[in-house]
Amino acid sequence: MNKIFTVLALVFLFTEILIAADSEGNVLRIKRVQSEITIDGLIDPVWAKADSATNFFQKAPYYGITPTQKTVAKVLATDDALYCLIVAYDNTGLIQVNSGTLDQASGDMVSIMLDTYNDKRSAYKFAVSASGARDDCRMIDDGRNKDYNWDGIWFSEAKVYSWGYVVEIKIPFRSISYDKTLNEWGLDFDRWIAHTNEDLYWNKYAQNEGLRISKFGHLVFNDVKPSSQGINLEVFPVAITNVSLQDDGKYKVKPNAGLDILYNPSPSLTLQLTANPDFAQIEADPYDFNISRYESRFDEKRPFFTQGNEIFMASGKESNSGFYKPLELFYSRRIGKKLPDGSDVPLLSGTKAFGRISDIEYGSLLAVTGEKDYKVDSVMHKEDRAYYGVARIKKQILDNSTLGILFAGKATEKGNSGVLDIDGAFRKSDWQLSYQIARSFEGDKGDFGFSAGFMNFSRSYVLYSRTRYIGENFEGNTIGYVPWKGTAELTTIGGPNWYFDKGYLKSLLLYVGESLNYEKVDDYTDRSIILGINMQFRDNWGYELSGTIGRSKDSDKLYDSRDISLSSWYNISPLWNANLSCGYSKTYNFDRDYLATYFWLNNTFEWKASKNLSIGNDYNMYIENKPDGSLEDITYNARPYVTLTPINNMTTRIYVDNVFLKSADRLNSVIIGFLFSYNFSPKSWIYFAYNEVQNRDPYYDNNGHELPRIMRVTERASVVKVNYLYYF
């Protein structure tokens, strides 16, 4: 049987090379078929009708060199769905076939990317690994940023043969938004070959730029007219049971139910509603060590807020560099926030709408939180009922540049507050200028905030510059994350950049720069000089070493500041990956209120013990010195974990997050977590989670006397959650 498939594959490849030779560059014409194609990883005869993409380009590790393996991609369509076939030839026997879940696929992988509005700045990406595990996202800002929170309804299957593997994909048109007046979309294909670290694309991109949606090829519709059939209604009933340990030592069982609704009345409009949601914490936030004067930020994990959040993001954030970070004026964790006693403000309901008319995108969000009584130091407090609103309009200008307006606000019985923002980005494939101007208001108070960033990454040099100003009365924390009131910053760095077509070293960057940072609380402008080097090697590892020296002032102390940091990444094997970063600085420790030196180390490691089993650890160490140079304390934080994925879309994960203090010579806290999840149908999940928290926090008897600080269980809870998609 394998010999038959091998012969068919060779005939198939030869035919596609002849067809591709007569094609018009990177143009693929999509043809219509009458009946639905079975998604099973087999090359059915109907695929012979389709045009092909075969001239794949190697982006890495050897730029422009002919790929070591052949790839063929095809696209067909019916009136209600797009179908894609990708044949990945590889007879080495080294194909990495790893089980995975949605957005956690690994190993050898292929993908199709679709710019369904042909706007040259946003696209969908659908990826499938050799094992059949799936990954999807929205690509924005001309490919510079990705939103992995997007979750669509699509279907795929993969099948491995002795000569390679085959992936088939079905994307219902009603699962994506698009401009139904267009007769062509932007298109590209991607293939990752794990054992050679090859990154292949159908289209050619400049070595210094990376993937750019503005350089996609063309998917031309001949006799196909995409249409969204059906009501396009997604209904998610949610059932949940929460069992938690109470202060009296008894367990409380709390069953609950909720409802999520997603409705697409047209290909360019999505409505979302959540009623009585219960956002049970599936996995605790990681341990946070913070010695700065500003609060820490944590990622959003609640599906209602993460899905469709792309529209509310400010333009211009570069996900690869992270150099320019616009003000986050809508920080959804403010809604249903965590209170000082550890409880959460209840979210009663929420609704969201987002869509597009021609070159204008729009979105809005409304949410209502309930009242909540809580206690701090034996004193009762009350969190009032609150109403939150966010509105967004974004327009495409000057080819693929953008201009947007955002409003975010909160209303309670005590008053209203909010912020109004104008932001946008001017961009070409190798540079981008982003800007943001905001005005906050709270009663009769208010102030301005501003940020801007310029990034130019050419083949011979780099130039980055960013600036930020936040007025001392700017209230950006009501519904956003802007804790730096009364500050201003200007940082510029640049230097030569080299790419090497041969040899072990792939690229080298040297840079120098200057940073000015003003804080009203100190009435002083910190000044520093920045030096750095970045080296990337052919076998997919590299490092960046940077240092700063300057003059700073904190809490009335004027001092010579210095900082050196190392960041490195290691992905030289498809079986394991690691990251190591460390740093040393002389800075002000606001947690202990003194000036001293400080050292930190972070390390992550994950090993694919088998295609179904991963073992890893996140390790952090923080060394605090006293002003005289002697040791204050060392904090060790480790989070070892084991992940078992017996089949695609089913995962069991166990982790232990522990904190050890050298000064006490003992563990200070331990979090034990267990999670089972099964994505048994599109957007339908079964979750079982167990979390237990133990620590040595102060503990008192009924008479108010402090008891010995031994490890005690302060929180123990388990959750069973089921949500099922009804798709009309």
Side-chain angles (χ1 to χ4, degrees):
M1 183 64 71
N2 283 337
K3 291 182 178 180
I4 295 176
F5 276 120
T6 301
V7 173
L8 290 175
L10 292 174
V11 173
F12 177 84
L13 174 59
F14 180 72
T15 303
E16 303 320 321
I17 292 175
L18 293 178
I19 295 175
D22 192 40
S23 63
E24 300 177 16
N26 284 357
V27 176
L28 200 64
R29 291 175 173 81
I30 184 171
K31 298 179 180 178
R32 183 175 182 270
V33 293
Q34 297 295 328
S35 58
E36 181 177 339
I37 299 174
T38 302
I39 304 300
D40 54 11
L42 299 175
I43 305 175
D44 298 322
V46 67
W47 286 110
K49 180 179 180 180
D51 289 347
S52 302
T54 61
N55 53 328
F56 276 66
F57 175 82
Q58 183 177 161
K59 179 75 166 56
Y62 292 97
Y63 181 80
I65 301 300
T66 302
T68 62
Q69 307 296 332
K70 193 70 181 180
T71 309
V72 176
K74 288 171 168 281
V75 178
L76 290 171
T78 60
D79 289 335
D80 61 350
L82 181 145
Y83 295 85
C84 175
L85 170 75
I86 302 179
V87 181
Y89 292 88
D90 192 333
N91 60 2
T92 65
L94 299 176
I95 298 174
Q96 291 297 310
V97 184
N98 301 325
S99 298
T101 58
L102 184 62
D103 295 337
Q104 294 182 350
S106 64
D108 280 67
M109 192 174 303
V110 295
S111 67
I112 179 174
M113 293 165 278
L114 300 168
D115 177 4
T116 57
Y117 283 93
N118 211 17
D119 61 11
K120 298 178 175 29
R121 62 181 175 85
S122 62
Y124 294 96
K125 180 173 183 176
F126 304 88
V128 183
S129 73
S131 74
R134 304 187 306 150
D135 200 347
D136 58 20
C137 71
R138 283 281 295 160
M139 306 168 65
I140 54 181
D141 289 337
D142 199 10
R144 292 173 170 86
N145 204 356
K146 296 180 177 63
D147 180 10
Y148 287 98
N149 295 313
W150 183 81
D151 186 12
I153 298 176
W154 56 288
F155 308 90
S156 63
E157 190 60 68
K159 193 172 183 63
V160 179
Y161 300 94
S162 61
W163 45 264
Y165 66 98
V166 174
V167 166
E168 282 187 300
I169 298 172
K170 175 184 177 182
I171 306 169
F173 288 127
R174 62 175 175 169
S175 297
I176 57 178
S177 62
Y178 57 90
D179 185 344
K180 59 184 179 182
T181 66
L182 296 177
N183 59 9
E184 74 171 51
W185 292 352
L187 172 69
D188 201 5
F189 303 98
D190 182 16
R191 179 182 177 186
W192 171 253
I193 306 177
H195 64 90
T196 58
N197 290 321
E198 283 181 73
D199 197 10
L200 312 179
Y201 295 91
W202 181 47
N203 296 287
K204 182 178 180 179
Y205 302 106
Q207 193 171 12
N208 56 291
E209 295 173 0
L211 182 147
R212 291 290 180 262
I213 298 170
S214 56
K215 294 186 176 181
F216 272 15
H218 307 277
L219 179 64
V220 179
F221 297 95
N222 283 348
D223 55 352
V224 177
K225 190 68 174 178
S227 63
S228 300
Q229 300 181 0
I231 303 175
N232 302 325
L233 177 66
E234 301 177 19
V235 179
F236 303 87
V238 180
I240 189 167
T241 299
N242 193 315
V243 181
S244 58
L245 178 65
Q246 305 299 297
D247 292 338
D248 58 6
K250 297 181 180 180
Y251 289 90
K252 180 180 180 181
V253 180
K254 182 183 177 182
N256 207 342
L259 182 67
D260 293 324
I261 297 175
L262 200 69
Y263 177 43
N264 296 96
S266 77
S268 299
L269 174 61
T270 299
L271 303 175
Q272 191 174 351
L273 171 69
T274 184
N276 192 34
D278 189 330
F279 299 120
Q281 190 72 17
I282 298 300
E283 187 166 319
D285 287 322
Y287 172 74
D288 176 55
F289 184 88
N290 186 354
I291 64 171
S292 76
R293 59 163 36 120
Y294 304 112
E295 68 168 308
S296 299
R297 183 196 180 280
F298 295 95
D299 291 337
E300 179 62 88
K301 299 178 182 179
R302 299 171 293 179
F304 172 74
F305 293 107
T306 58
Q307 293 175 6
N309 195 46
E310 166 197 338
I311 182 63
F312 302 115
M313 297 170 59
S315 300
K317 180 180 179 181
E318 180 98 24
S319 61
N320 292 331
S321 70
F323 180 80
Y324 170 62
K325 298 178 180 179
L327 307 182
E328 190 172 3
L329 301 176
F330 172 47
Y331 178 43
S332 56
R333 287 192 64 145
R334 302 290 188 205
I335 304 176
K337 65 183 180 182
K338 190 171 290 293
L339 296 170
D341 67 346
S343 62
D344 295 318
V345 176
L347 175 60
L348 303 181
S349 64
T351 183
K352 187 190 297 183
F354 49 93
R356 184 165 180 157
I357 300 175
S358 184
D359 59 357
I360 297 177
E361 297 176 75
Y362 59 89
S364 64
L365 179 147
L366 295 172
V368 181
T369 58
E371 297 178 350
K372 180 72 174 181
D373 295 322
Y374 62 98
K375 183 185 295 186
V376 179
D377 296 331
S378 301
V379 178
M380 293 301 300
H381 299 266
K382 180 180 180 180
E383 183 76 14
D384 294 327
R385 176 186 290 262
Y387 301 85
Y388 296 86
V390 186
R392 173 70 158 165
I393 297 176
K394 188 191 301 183
K395 177 177 172 55
Q396 183 169 336
I397 61 174
L398 302 175
D399 196 14
N400 72 339
S401 299
T402 53
L403 172 66
I405 300 175
L406 172 75
F407 167 80
K410 175 184 178 181
T412 67
E413 291 182 355
K414 297 178 180 178
N416 304 328
S417 60
V419 63
L420 182 65
D421 153 85
I422 297 176
D423 66 85
F426 298 102
R427 62 173 68 93
K428 290 296 183 181
S429 60
D430 62 347
W431 65 266
Q432 178 171 269
L433 173 63
S434 309
Y435 61 91
Q436 183 181 47
I437 304 172
R439 168 75 180 185
S440 72
F441 62 88
E442 185 173 16
D444 59 352
K445 297 180 180 180
D447 213 331
F448 286 95
F450 168 79
S451 68
F454 176 77
M455 292 169 283
N456 186 4
F457 211 111
S458 77
R459 184 172 174 83
S460 58
Y461 70 92
V462 300
L463 178 61
Y464 283 2
S465 184
R466 70 182 178 213
T467 184
R468 181 178 69 190
Y469 166 79
I470 302 171
E472 59 180 314
N473 294 316
F474 187 86
E475 295 297 338
N477 270 2
T478 302
I479 193 172
Y481 176 77
V482 190
W484 315 280
K485 293 198 302 182
T487 65
E489 178 201 7
L490 173 61
T491 300
T492 300
I493 62 174
N497 190 40
W498 295 274
Y499 291 92
F500 304 95
D501 295 332
K502 299 179 181 180
Y504 186 55
L505 181 61
K506 185 168 66 173
S507 66
L508 170 64
L509 166 65
L510 301 175
Y511 58 87
V512 62
E514 183 178 13
S515 180
L516 304 174
N517 196 330
Y518 173 79
E519 292 181 288
K520 176 70 175 179
V521 65
D522 297 311
D523 195 23
Y524 187 81
T525 300
D526 298 345
R527 302 175 296 275
S528 59
I529 301 297
I530 306 168
L531 296 169
I533 179 173
N534 180 296
M535 299 183 72
Q536 301 193 41
F537 299 93
R538 198 73 64 186
D539 54 357
N540 213 25
W541 80 277
Y543 73 90
E544 182 167 353
L545 178 66
S546 64
T548 64
I549 55 173
R551 190 71 172 164
S552 302
K553 183 180 180 181
D554 289 303
S555 295
D556 295 326
K557 293 187 181 297
L558 190 63
Y559 61 97
D560 293 324
S561 60
R562 56 184 180 270
D563 179 276
I564 185 169
S565 62
L566 170 69
S567 176
S568 56
W569 51 95
Y570 308 91
N571 301 286
I572 59 179
S573 169
L575 299 179
W576 62 271
N577 64 82
N579 290 272
L580 173 67
S581 58
C582 58
Y584 168 84
S585 65
K586 181 181 180 181
T587 187
Y588 200 86
N589 188 327
F590 287 93
D591 185 52
R592 301 188 184 275
D593 196 23
Y594 57 59
L595 173 67
T597 55
Y598 163 67
F599 176 83
W600 56 270
L601 182 146
N602 304 128
N603 173 245
T604 63
F605 176 85
E606 183 173 83
W607 172 48
K608 292 284 185 183
S610 71
K611 69 176 184 179
N612 308 110
L613 179 66
S614 296
I615 300 172
N617 184 37
D618 297 334
Y619 177 77
N620 306 287
M621 180 175 67
Y622 310 95
I623 302 176
E624 301 170 271
N625 289 327
K626 296 178 181 179
D628 62 5
S630 61
L631 180 66
E632 175 70 65
D633 206 350
I634 304 178
T635 302
Y636 304 91
N637 171 229
R639 193 181 178 104
Y641 61 87
V642 176
T643 303
L644 176 64
T645 309
I647 60 174
N648 284 335
N649 302 321
M650 178 184 289
T651 297
T652 298
R653 177 180 171 89
I654 302 172
Y655 70 92
V656 179
D657 193 326
N658 60 84
V659 177
F660 183 92
L661 298 179
K662 180 175 177 56
S663 58
D665 197 27
R666 60 189 181 183
L667 285 173
N668 188 64
S669 67
V670 176
I671 300 175
I672 301 171
F674 172 86
L675 171 65
F676 169 82
S677 64
Y678 180 33
N679 182 200
F680 60 91
S681 184
K683 291 191 176 182
S684 301
W685 293 82
I686 297 175
Y687 292 103
F688 172 74
Y690 171 84
N691 283 324
E692 179 176 305
V693 179
Q694 301 180 21
N695 59 43
R696 298 181 189 273
D697 289 345
Y699 193 75
Y700 303 89
D701 62 19
N702 294 331
N703 297 320
H705 299 128
E706 184 173 354
L707 299 174
R709 294 198 180 189
I710 62 174
M711 292 290 287
R712 290 184 174 87
V713 176
T714 58
E715 183 180 338
R716 180 181 289 156
S718 62
V719 175
V720 177
K721 181 177 180 180
V722 179
N723 65 291
Y724 183 75
L725 167 65
Y726 291 93
Y727 193 31
F728 303 96

